[in-house]
């Protein structure tokens, strides 16, 4: 871990290089929603722009890994951040930032932790209809799927 040398900061970071981008005047990563203040203001890092952009999604996402999926009892979410928090808390998904996600080789196994509450082995994305072998793979798909819709 390294301490930020910026005079008004001094915080400690694992990835100081990424943090230093927040101190630059240029903010090239713009929100794609033209009526949003961050369409003009922008972000220094793509990760921050994507995290922000997910807040603009206005659809309903259904957890197909929970019991009751496909019925009136389905667990549904209208915010991506809340849905992702559900996947980590209930389905044991490992929360990893998009830029640090590992590519799997065939036979290398899942990145997911033990999933004792996992009632369904597979699940489907209700936005694009793609099927996933486990909640971890779905979690890693979710951001790009939503960003593609927005």
């Amino acid at each position: 871990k390294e301490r930020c040398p910026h005079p008004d900061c001094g915080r400690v970071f694992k990835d100081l290089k990424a943090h230093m981008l927040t101190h630059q005047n240029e903010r090239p990563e713009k929100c794609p929603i033209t009526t949003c203040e961050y369409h003009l203001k922008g972000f220094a890092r793509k990760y921050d722009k994507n995290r922000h952009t997910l807040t603009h999604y206005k659809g309903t996402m259904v957890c197909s890994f929970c019991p009751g999926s496909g019925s009136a009892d389905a667990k549904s979410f209208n915010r991506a951040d809340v849905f992702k928090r559900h996947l980590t808390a209930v389905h044991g998904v490992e929360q990893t930032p998009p830029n640090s996600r590992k590519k799997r080789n065939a036979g290398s196994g899942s990145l997911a932790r033990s999933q004792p509450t996992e009632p369904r082995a597979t699940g489907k994305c209700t936005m694009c209809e793609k099927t996933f072998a486990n909640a971890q793979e779905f979690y890693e798909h979710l951001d790009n799927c939503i960003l593609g819709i927005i």
Side-chain angles (χ1 to χ4, degrees):
K1 293 186 175 188
E2 298 176 76
R3 184 169 301 280
C4 176
H6 196 274
D8 297 328
C9 185
R11 294 169 49 203
V12 176
F13 296 91
K14 283 191 278 187
D15 188 355
L16 182 60
K17 183 179 175 185
H19 167 73
M20 291 304 291
L21 293 173
T22 66
H23 292 301
Q24 68 186 17
N25 290 331
E26 184 185 353
R27 296 181 168 267
E29 299 292 336
K30 308 295 185 189
C31 176
I33 308 300
T34 56
T35 55
C36 177
E37 69 178 298
Y38 289 98
H39 181 70
L40 296 175
K41 241 180 175 174
F43 296 90
R45 299 180 295 191
K46 186 175 184 176
Y47 172 81
D48 295 325
K49 178 205 66 173
N50 287 346
R51 186 184 60 205
H52 162 79
T53 303
L54 292 174
T55 66
H56 290 293
Y57 181 70
K58 300 296 181 211
T60 300
M61 297 162 278
V62 176
C63 183
S64 60
F65 294 97
C66 281
S69 177
S71 72
D73 296 330
K75 184 80 174 154
S76 62
F77 304 86
N78 60 5
R79 284 181 39 193
D81 61 326
V82 176
F83 189 14
K84 289 169 70 176
R85 195 164 40 245
H86 163 80
L87 290 168
T88 58
V90 176
H91 300 294
V93 165
E94 180 181 331
Q95 191 175 11
T96 55
N99 58 344
S100 71
R101 290 187 184 146
K102 300 170 187 144
K103 299 289 183 206
R104 288 192 198 96
N105 300 343
S108 68
S110 171
L111 293 175
R113 297 186 304 251
S114 157
Q115 298 180 2
T117 59
E118 192 72 52
R120 298 179 73 163
T122 62
K124 184 182 274 191
C125 177
T126 55
M127 292 160 288
C128 71
E129 302 297 317
K130 185 174 178 184
T131 301
F132 294 89
N134 58 54
Q136 183 72 39
E137 288 180 9
F138 172 67
Y139 178 91
E140 293 173 8
H141 157 84
L142 191 57
D143 285 0
N144 286 334
C145 184
I146 296 169
L147 291 170
I149 293 169
I150 293 176

